[in-house]
Amino acid sequence: MAIRRYKVTPTVSTSPAYSANDVVGGLLTFGGLRNGTLQSISVCDNARLAVNYSLILFESAPTSIGDNATFDISDADLDKIIFIGAMPAATYQWLFTDNSIHLATGLSIPLWSAGGSVYAFLVTTSTPTYVATSDITVTLQVKDFDTVKAFGV
């Protein structure tokens, strides 16, 4: 088993402001993540906004929802959900001079994918306005079980 970090820097909107329950960055794809144990989640914010997030992980690709659109999951995608993590700013956000990080640690959540990727939506319950389209990076730290190496599949 190895510890791996899977990062996605989605393109986010700088205008108009997001509304509560909007998707930030559209559908996120964590390529190469087959299975393992989720140890931590981080959301790096270069704009230093006080934002509440939830990260919803899926075992296979759900119906796409665009950036800055209302999170309204399809009924057919509900059983694809493998984890929902709420990350309110008051509990999980550390503010620095000109940036911030939401960090959820100490997790031990089993993850699996129906293919070779885990998918996610980052949803805000706040109303942020980002400064740059690359302000957000989402990282999953996972203790991988290397199925290919162990079983040759």
Side-chain angles (χ1 to χ4, degrees), residues 52-106:
N52 298 315
Y53 291 115
S54 291
L55 186 68
I56 299 94
L57 300 178
F58 297 84
E59 68 180 4
S60 60
T63 304
S64 189
I65 301 172
D67 174 59
N68 211 347
T70 302
F71 181 67
D72 184 13
I73 186 122
S74 164
D75 293 349
D77 293 328
L78 287 173
D79 67 348
K80 297 177 183 177
I81 295 173
I82 54 176
F83 177 73
I84 299 175
M87 297 176 31
T91 308
Y92 291 97
Q93 186 179 35
W94 283 262
L95 298 170
F96 305 110
T97 302
D98 64 355
N99 51 34
S100 65
I101 186 170
H102 284 69
L103 188 59
T105 61

